Structures are given as structure tokens and as C-alpha cells.
Amino acid sequence: MPATKFSCPDGKEISISGCLDGCRCGTRCMFLPTLRAVAQSSDRQLDEPSVTELLNGTREVFLKKTREYAINPEDALYALQGQGIHGIHEKHIDGDILAEVRLKDGTTSGKFDLYGQLLDEDTGTLGDLKVTSSYKLMRALGYYKKSVPTGEVYKTGAKKGQPKYRQELFTDGVRYVMDWALQLNYYRILLEQQGFEVKRMFIQAICRDGSLRIAAERGIDRNVYIIPINKISDHWLIRYFKHKAKALKEAMATGEMPKLCSARERWHDKKCQSYCDVADYCDHGQAVKQAMIKKAG
Ligand code: SF4
Ligand code: SF4
């Protein structure tokens, strides 16, 4: 079931068709064509679960497929930006590059962005386009901040005599690209099943807040980064996606709520707090939100 309602800026909800027919507030919160585009982008239904769907927690996907839920059109604008970037690239493809082809196997289906001569003469490069935040880029590049002693001490106050610290940026950390790696590697498998050789994989990540000071503080000083993605074992990957597809299929057949999304899938509860559209149907989502309200006072 796609999203059926919009959340208005005042927190009230309206059916998407009702909103498109006429704004309940008199003046729209954004242009009508933008709202139509948001409505269309949230209405993509495939029979088989897609690679990107299976990257999410099974519980979240199950609830999105079986419950009526609301989305905030403002939150969907970033996804729209991403789709715009894809559309622009599609217009600039020549004979050496394949783009936006949906491939499927017995488990799932996936639409890769670009394949071919993307960076040099190598014809076997698989590429994926992302529009993302400086925070996610910082983590994907392995940048992190750490407190380091300045060599000075506090001369007065409660901390008198204690060493002073400052936050410093380091670039030798773990690269957090697991979701991107799972996605691209499965596209690689789908391409290889069709006889295409994939020699290398890259994400082209455009930073959506690149001009802000916060991005510079995170060490993100460019608007675009090419991020290499390593190969994941086919055996492990196929097992992982088969397991996720089976769990979803079983839940859909029985109607039983799947087990809790994993800590990685629910972004260690950050997603449940503010970014899961179906959190109101999930006991864990409700508990996390309640705890957040309690903490806020
Ligand atoms: S245009 Fe915006 S404020 Fe008006 S009904 Fe639609 S979502 Fe709500
Ligand atoms: S609220 Fe959290 S645990 Fe529940 S479906 Fe959403 S992401 Fe998963």
C-alpha cells in the first residue's frame, strides 16, 4: 500500500487525493506540481520486493505494504531531488553506457543507475548516483572527530589545572557504506547473471548541504565525491537477500508482524524517533517516541 495521506505543516493529516483537489488550509504549503510529483514518487508499487526495499527492516516494509500511512511532503523533497538527478543523467547517455535498467532474479529486482565507461576506458564500471548529507558523506569517507589535548590547562574556574581539549578531524576511520555496498553488489550480481562483467563499483555522491559551514567542519569541502565500493561475497549476499525476501513474503502471507528491524536498519532508533513513516503502527516505534517525549520534559 503506498502512502495515502499527507501530513500538513500544522501536524494534521489529509488524504493525498483530497490535498491535490484543494488545500485544507486555503493556501498550499508548496506548489501544486511539486505536491503532485511527491504523490507520484511515493506511489511506486512492485510485485516483488526490490533491492532497495529489502535494505530496510522487514517490519518497516511490511507495515508500509499493509497499512495506510502519511508522509510529510517536505521530507520527500530530497528523494525528488535524487530523482531529478537521475532524470538529467538519463538524457546524457551514449552507446557505451547503460542506464536505469531494471533486472530481476528469483529473489528480488533492482534498477541500476549507470554501467559502462563511466570514469575511464574501463567498460565494466557500475555506478550509482546519490544526493546525500555532509554527515552521511563524512561517515562514508571514514572521517571522524576526536577530542585531542591542546597542551594548555584551565587557569581559573571549576576546571582549574585540568587539560583543555579541542575537537579535531581525522580521516582514517571506518567507512560506513554498508547499505550502499549491499545495494551495488546486488546490482552487480544481477548484471553478471545477464552476462555483463562488472569490474569496479562506485558511488557518485553529491553533497546537498555542501556550501554550509557544518559541511566544512565535517571535512566535506567538495560538492561531489566518487566513493569506491568493495566486492562482497556472492554467497553471503545471496543468502542475505533471500532471507530478507522470505521473511517479507511470509509476513505478507500470514499477516503476522515481522520481528523488530535490526539496530542497523533502524539507525540505532534514530529512524524510529523521527524518520519512520509507519512508527505509529510499531510497538517499538511508539516506545521510542514516548521515551523521547518523556525526556524532553
Ligand atoms: S497543500 Fe500542504 S497544507 Fe495544504 S492540504 Fe496539502 S499538505 Fe496540507
Ligand atoms: S519504528 Fe523502528 S522498528 Fe518500527 S518499523 Fe519503523 S524502523 Fe522498524
Side-chain angles (χ1 to χ4, degrees):
M1 196 176 288
T4 55
K5 290 174 276 181
F6 278 156
S7 297
C8 302
D10 63 5
K12 296 208 171 111
E13 293 181 357
I14 181 170
S15 71
I16 292 179
S17 56
C19 160
L20 297 181
D21 282 349
C23 173
R24 50 168 279 277
C25 302
T27 304
R28 294 191 177 278
C29 58
M30 57 185 82
F31 290 160
L32 181 57
T34 314
L35 288 159
R36 284 186 182 136
V38 170
Q40 195 187 33
S41 74
S42 67
D43 187 19
R44 284 177 299 162
Q45 293 292 297
L46 297 164
D47 291 342
E48 291 296 325
S50 68
V51 169
T52 44
E53 259 182 333
L54 293 178
L55 291 175
N56 291 307
T58 308
R59 180 180 290 198
E60 184 190 345
V61 181
F62 168 76
L63 288 172
K64 280 189 166 170
K65 282 183 178 289
T66 57
R67 306 290 195 273
E68 293 198 355
Y69 63 96
I71 53 166
N72 182 338
E74 264 184 65
D75 294 343
L77 292 180
Y78 286 135
L80 224 53
Q81 260 182 350
Q83 286 168 30
I85 293 279
H86 284 84
I88 290 165
H89 280 78
E90 263 189 287
K91 291 189 189 132
H92 297 281
I93 298 305
D94 58 22
D96 294 324
I97 295 173
L98 295 175
E100 305 272 340
V101 181
R102 182 166 290 282
L103 300 172
K104 60 188 289 188
D105 62 10
T107 305
T108 182
S109 75
K111 190 153 72 164
F112 66 84
D113 286 345
L114 299 162
Y115 169 78
Q117 285 187 336
L118 302 183
L119 290 172
D120 47 33
E121 294 304 304
D122 181 0
T123 55
T125 302
L126 174 60
D128 203 70
L129 302 160
K130 303 281 183 207
V131 181
T132 192
S133 64
S134 59
Y135 175 73
K136 193 153 183 194
L137 257 171
M138 177 192 183
R139 285 171 57 82
L141 293 167
Y143 296 179
Y144 62 100
K145 284 186 176 176
K146 202 166 76 174
S147 286
V148 292
T150 61
E152 293 173 9
V153 292
Y154 289 96
K155 294 198 173 79
T156 56
K159 289 188 181 172
K160 192 176 174 188
Q162 289 180 24
K164 285 186 178 176
Y165 288 88
R166 67 161 179 268
Q167 287 278 304
E168 214 166 277
L169 189 74
F170 293 83
T171 57
D172 58 351
V174 176
R175 296 194 310 127
Y176 290 96
V177 287
M178 188 60 170
D179 276 3
W180 292 350
L182 289 170
Q183 185 189 0
L184 240 73
N185 270 275
Y186 209 89
Y187 293 164
R188 170 183 63 73
I189 288 180
L190 290 171
L191 273 161
E192 286 171 355
Q193 284 168 352
Q194 299 300 317
F196 294 96
E197 187 185 10
V198 178
K199 292 190 198 144
R200 298 179 303 167
M201 295 169 280
F202 294 94
I203 296 282
Q204 176 172 285
I206 296 175
C207 185
R208 64 181 178 226
D209 55 355
S211 55
L212 299 185
R213 199 179 70 180
I214 184 82
E217 284 172 5
R218 290 170 173 154
I220 305 303
D221 51 12
R222 297 179 51 207
N223 288 328
V224 65
Y225 287 83
I226 299 288
I227 301 173
I229 297 294
N230 293 333
K231 191 174 171 184
I232 298 178
S233 132
D234 286 8
H235 178 69
W236 185 89
L237 199 67
I238 288 168
R239 259 183 59 174
Y240 176 81
F241 275 91
K242 272 202 169 134
H243 166 76
K244 296 287 303 270
K246 187 166 168 250
L248 181 62
K249 215 173 178 176
E250 278 173 8
M252 294 298 291
T254 61
E256 260 178 48
M257 181 78 92
K259 66 176 189 194
L260 191 61
C261 307
S262 72
R264 181 181 63 78
E265 289 163 346
R266 57 178 205 273
W267 311 344
H268 301 274
D269 287 347
K270 256 206 179 90
K271 192 173 200 177
C272 316
Q273 259 176 24
S274 320
Y275 301 100
C276 177
D277 293 327
V278 286
D280 287 346
Y281 295 108
C282 166
D283 54 356
H284 183 76
Q286 285 172 11
V288 169
K289 284 186 173 201
Q290 282 302 322
M292 191 173 68
I293 292 166
K294 219 169 155 185
K295 205 171 156 193

